[in-house]
Amino acid sequence: MINTQLKPFNATAFKSGEFVEISEKDVLGKWSVFFFYPADFTFVCPTELGDVADKYEELQKLGVEVFSVSTDTHFTHKAWHDSSDTIGKINYYMVGDQTGNITNNFNVMREGQGLADRATFLIDPEGTIQAMEITAEGIGRDAEDLLRKVKAAQYVAAHPGEVCPAKWKEGEATLAPSLDLVGKI
């Protein structure tokens, strides 16, 4: 999936108290995160979505839009948003993918279940997937690490010829791969 292009899609999302129509055209031209999760009104999912909500303002300052996606409907997203304090703080898109089109486009549909895997994709402004993470059902993701990956991807995009080493944080040293570095790291 890395370095592949975002596939076309159309969906209805719940955002800022409204239902809005979105497509891949709304993603192109900016950095985006697609944050797949199995289902509304569950257990690990709200902890993850709330964690991303807490980092949403910082992601927005980096020019990143967030699209959470499950195979629930946009109506269910609204009901969950209205009934849960954790989900109620979400200001990003909550995409209803009841047809499974988007989930299948990213190859994260659980076969025979109609549910998305717990998966995150970082997409650059050209629509190219730059990072992805997929975890098992009981393993929640960390929005702080997502933020770190966004910053690393944006740095690498802005600085051709440089790469970010393990645990890289904004402002730390990067590497410029060369023959001189072979065997010295």
Side-chain angles (χ1 to χ4, degrees), residues 16-52:
S16 303
E18 297 181 354
F19 294 132
V20 293
E21 297 300 315
I22 61 167
S23 74
E24 76 283 353
K25 293 175 184 85
D26 296 302
V27 178
L28 299 175
K30 65 186 116 189
W31 287 87
S32 300
V33 169
F34 277 71
F35 197 81
F36 291 88
Y37 64 97
D40 291 0
F41 295 100
T42 56
F43 313 103
V44 175
C45 300
T47 67
E48 294 181 308
L49 293 166
D51 190 32
V52 172

Side-chain angles (χ1 to χ4, degrees), residues 159-176:
H159 299 89
E162 292 184 49
V163 295
C164 296
K167 298 183 181 182
W168 178 87
K169 300 251 188 319
E170 187 175 30
E172 293 181 352
T174 58
L175 300 171

